[in-house]
Amino acid sequence: MKSTTAASAPATARPSRAREAAAPPARRRVRRQLVTSPWLFAAPGLAIVGIFILYPFVSTVINSFTDKRQLVEGKYVGLANFRELLHDDMFWIGLRNSTLYVLVVVPALVLLPLLLALLVQKQIPGITFFRSAFYTPVVASIVVVGLIWVWMLDERGLVNAVLEAVGAGKVGFLSDQWLLLFSAMAVTVWKGLGYYMIIYLAALANVPRELHEAAAVDGAGPVRRFLSVTVPAVRSTMVLVAALSSVAAFKVFSEVYLMAGPTGGPAGEDTTLVMLVQRTGTGLTGRVGYASAISVVIFVVTVVLMLLVLRADRKEDR
Amino acid sequence: MPLWELALRYTLLLVVLALMIGPFLWQLSTSLKGPHENIFSSPPSFLPSDPTLHNYERVADTIPVWDYALNSLKVAAANVLTNCVGAALAGYALARLRYRGRKAATLVFILAMLVPVEGIIIAQFTTMRDLNLNNTLIGVLLPGCISALNVLLMRNAFLNLPYEIEEAAFVDGANVWQRFFRIALPAVKGTLAVVAIFAFMGAWDDFLWPLIVLSDPDKFTLTIGLNYLHGTFANDERLVAAGTVIAVLPLIVLFACLQRYFFRGVGEGAVKG
């Protein structure tokens, strides 16, 4: 904790004497002044990040080896929490749902926003309006988005009204455990489309037009050009999007909480890991130690996801 | 571009537009439908036959929605201020520190950026309780009030400024604060605007953390209030729809006004961040 505050930070390196002597006196004074004040400038940021991010992170890891509860100090219990996790059906349900979320949402969010970016890339009249409009779901808060879709997918909501009007039967999107989870995934994808579209747009701006023209001259069709020109050019961005979206998907909370309810749908079958942390660790009898153990699993999986994405990136390079 | 391709593009654009904007318009339409209009009709009627603001009055009678909006606004405004000031100061420090200190301090912020916030909420809550700040708006604000990502964004912006300008200013007798405010800050206005927009949106849209830290209904922010409304009056779709419109409209208006900065900034941030 202390090591992250400005006070005990390492002293700044002294500039080399030879250069000091060679520099005019004014410059020497500037350098010295520029060395001392930055610690003062960085102090608020270091303090906030230290107290509210890094310290809670360390104490989460420490708590995962104790039986601490809300308002009750815990004692060291070794790996007991993790052993209990292995026999906890709810934990496996949460792990299954969060993992499934990654497997479905990530491919969709890597590919669809890229296609969307290609669609809005061409400067045609009104394109700015379309870009902004596609970004609107990103701006809306997740609670608003969740409630909009709860109403859209309701037994008597718009989607079912349309399905009925065209002669298909009603679908209980919000009553079946699997349909609920997939509906939540669809909402996550819908909300993320615009966000990743913008990231891809920035990347596409750097693709030289000559490449496309050359490919077209060689007789490559649009699909072929997409695969052999566009995809290689934005590959590093696709990796970035995969990394961002996979970590976010694994930590999903709000969409499922709002659509399936606090208890996670029928018999809790739609609970995700973060929902489990929230449910286990809060309240007067909250089991801080046990919830922290689940958090540690989330940390580990997050790191693993990052490494997987980076490795996939390196493999492609060879 | 040949005509058929243009036609195809616009067709696709309109289809996606319907998918992205349609749900919002349907929500708006539902919120304007009076108590005697059937909102479950099939085929659905897209326009309210007799638009009324009655549901908005009912939301205000059901939950103190304007108080919640004010709470959200307070937190969001404070978040903008703390992030802009704190991240600019720290980012400037990271860009100007000498080698060894810079490495250590930058590493602190990079590590903090990598911590998955959803995993540390329980410990954050315990920290808040130790500080006697749980169930306060200050408690909602604090953990994100200077975000590591924003600090690193500002650092990148300051790194692009040539050092010589500041030395010249120093020779002219400017002290460090003057250099910071008069020379460095005006040069990174664009990034600062991005930090401000994201700080506002982040605070206004936040759900999980306020849900954990707030327990008194009179301290709720808008998102928590909506969740409560949905949980208690789920069968009253018009009421929930009106509540969501109240929550989302200010942001859409803000975004429409600032979209220029937005897209420039989002692009920059994506490439460099």
Side-chain angles (χ1 to χ4, degrees):
Chain A
M1 170 70 230
K2 263 219 166 101
S3 64
T4 59
T5 56
S8 58
T12 52
R14 291 195 52 114
S16 80
R17 275 168 194 254
R19 272 184 52 203
E20 279 285 84
R27 173 166 292 200
R28 203 180 314 160
R29 274 207 311 269
V30 182
R31 295 263 188 230
R32 204 165 305 147
Q33 223 202 3
L34 287 174
V35 168
T36 46
S37 47
W39 286 115
L40 192 72
F41 278 37
L46 287 169
I48 292 289
V49 159
I51 298 168
F52 296 112
I53 306 287
L54 294 174
Y55 169 67
F57 176 76
V58 173
S59 67
T60 297
V61 176
I62 293 171
N63 285 339
S64 70
F65 299 105
T66 69
D67 59 0
K68 183 175 159 72
R69 287 170 177 267
Q70 290 290 359
L71 306 172
V72 185
E73 278 313 308
K75 60 182 192 306
Y76 177 77
V77 292
L79 291 171
N81 286 328
F82 294 94
R83 267 198 295 276
E84 189 182 338
L85 277 185
L86 294 178
H87 303 292
D88 182 349
D89 287 345
M90 215 60 221
F91 167 75
W92 289 109
I93 288 173
L95 188 62
R96 177 195 71 196
N97 290 339
S98 292
T99 309
L100 206 58
Y101 224 88
V102 173
L103 293 176
V104 176
V105 164
V106 174
L109 279 180
V110 169
L111 196 62
L112 293 177
L114 176 57
L115 297 175
L116 201 56
L118 288 170
L119 184 63
V120 299
Q121 193 197 3
K122 280 265 189 331
Q123 289 290 352
I124 49 180
I127 201 69
T128 322
F129 163 76
F130 284 108
R131 284 180 192 173
S132 309
F134 297 170
Y135 202 79
T136 313
V138 183
V139 177
S141 74
I142 188 65
V143 178
V144 168
V145 166
L147 295 185
I148 284 179
W149 283 99
V150 163
W151 169 219
M152 292 276 294
L153 298 171
D154 187 270
E155 198 74 36
R156 302 174 298 172
L158 182 61
V159 177
N160 271 319
V162 171
L163 285 177
E164 240 188 336
V166 299
K170 286 199 171 197
V171 181
F173 292 104
L174 301 179
S175 46
D176 173 85
Q177 72 166 78
W178 293 114
L179 280 176
L180 245 175
L181 198 63
F182 286 116
S183 300
M185 289 170 184
V187 171
T188 305
V189 172
W190 180 80
K191 191 176 186 327
L193 276 176
Y195 181 79
Y196 295 114
M197 172 190 84
I198 296 295
I199 293 182
Y200 277 128
L201 263 183
L204 285 173
N206 302 329
V207 181
R209 193 179 299 190
E210 292 77 19
L211 281 179
H212 271 281
E213 284 165 0
V217 170
D218 290 345
V223 176
R224 183 70 204 281
R225 283 208 301 270
F226 172 75
L227 289 175
S228 54
V229 178
T230 310
V231 169
V234 297
R235 217 202 64 230
S236 62
T237 311
M238 291 172 90
V239 172
L240 174 75
V241 169
L244 290 173
S245 62
S246 62
V247 171
F250 189 74
K251 297 182 306 185
V252 63
F253 169 82
S254 307
E255 296 91 316
V256 184
Y257 181 92
L258 289 158
M259 294 172 79
T263 49
E269 283 285 342
D270 290 310
T271 302
T272 69
L273 276 187
V274 176
M275 282 171 81
L276 202 57
V277 171
Q278 182 257 351
R279 203 185 306 157
T280 317
T282 52
L284 290 175
T285 55
R287 299 180 59 195
V288 175
Y290 193 58
S292 300
I294 304 171
S295 291
V296 169
V297 173
I298 294 175
F299 298 153
V300 171
V301 174
T302 308
V303 172
V304 169
L305 281 172
M306 280 287 174
L307 292 176
L308 277 179
V309 171
L310 289 176
R311 244 192 77 194
D313 187 29
R314 269 215 299 279
K315 258 212 192 84
E316 294 273 326
D317 270 339
R318 278 183 217 134
Chain B
M1 201 182 309
L3 197 61
W4 66 264
E5 191 187 331
L6 203 62
L8 180 69
R9 269 180 185 274
Y10 276 115
T11 313
L12 283 173
L13 282 169
L14 288 170
V15 169
V16 180
L17 183 72
L19 275 176
M20 300 306 246
I21 297 293
F24 289 102
L25 295 177
W26 178 241
Q27 197 78 352
L28 181 65
S29 161
T30 305
S31 73
L32 295 172
K33 285 176 179 172
H36 305 300
E37 190 171 346
N38 180 12
I39 55 172
F40 307 114
S41 64
S42 175
S45 60
F46 289 100
L47 292 174
S49 59
D50 185 14
T52 167
L53 291 176
H54 172 70
N55 296 316
Y56 291 87
E57 290 161 27
R58 281 175 50 231
V59 173
D61 291 340
T62 314
I63 56 169
V65 71
W66 304 116
D67 295 351
Y68 293 170
L70 187 65
N71 285 344
S72 279
L73 190 64
K74 279 182 197 162
V75 175
N79 203 39
V80 169
L81 190 72
T82 51
N83 264 298
C84 283
V85 174
L89 284 172
Y92 185 71
L94 292 188
R96 290 288 173 262
L97 272 175
R98 292 226 157 268
Y99 184 70
R100 204 180 298 167
R102 187 178 61 211
K103 263 202 151 164
T106 311
L107 190 66
V108 166
F109 287 110
I110 288 176
L111 285 177
M113 192 181 69
L114 294 176
V115 171
V117 178
E118 289 84 350
I120 61 171
I121 41 173
I122 305 297
Q124 279 182 332
F125 176 72
T126 314
T127 307
M128 278 305 158
R129 217 187 38 223
D130 294 345
L131 296 168
N132 271 329
L133 288 171
N134 60 326
N135 205 11
T136 62
L137 291 179
I138 301 278
V140 174
L141 168 74
L142 270 179
C145 74
I146 303 176
S147 94
L149 177 66
N150 288 339
V151 170
L152 294 169
L153 272 178
M154 291 312 297
R155 166 186 167 265
N156 281 356
F158 285 123
L159 278 180
N160 293 335
L161 295 185
Y163 204 69
E164 283 66 29
I165 305 180
E166 289 192 48
E167 287 188 339
F170 180 80
V171 172
D172 293 341
N175 68 27
V176 70
W177 289 99
Q178 285 170 318
R179 288 201 306 272
F180 174 70
F181 278 112
R182 299 232 176 117
I183 296 163
L185 262 193
V188 294
K189 271 207 294 265
T191 313
L192 211 54
V194 174
V195 167
I197 294 169
F198 277 114
F200 190 93
M201 273 180 40
W204 185 272
D205 292 349
D206 199 11
F207 178 57
L208 176 58
W209 174 241
L211 184 73
I212 284 175
V213 96
L214 296 174
S215 46
D216 270 356
D218 64 337
K219 299 230 176 62
F220 281 178
T221 57
L222 206 41
T223 50
I224 311 302
L226 278 184
N227 178 50
Y228 170 74
L229 186 73
H230 163 68
T232 322
F233 300 91
N235 307 332
D236 197 340
E237 282 83 5
R238 296 178 186 83
L239 193 69
V240 177
T244 53
V245 172
I246 292 174
V248 80
L249 213 54
L251 268 196
I252 291 185
V253 170
L254 185 80
F255 166 63
C257 297
L258 297 172
Q259 51 152 319
R260 250 176 338 128
Y261 289 105
F262 222 93
F263 285 154
R264 203 170 48 198
V266 173
E268 271 174 29
V271 173
K272 290 181 192 153

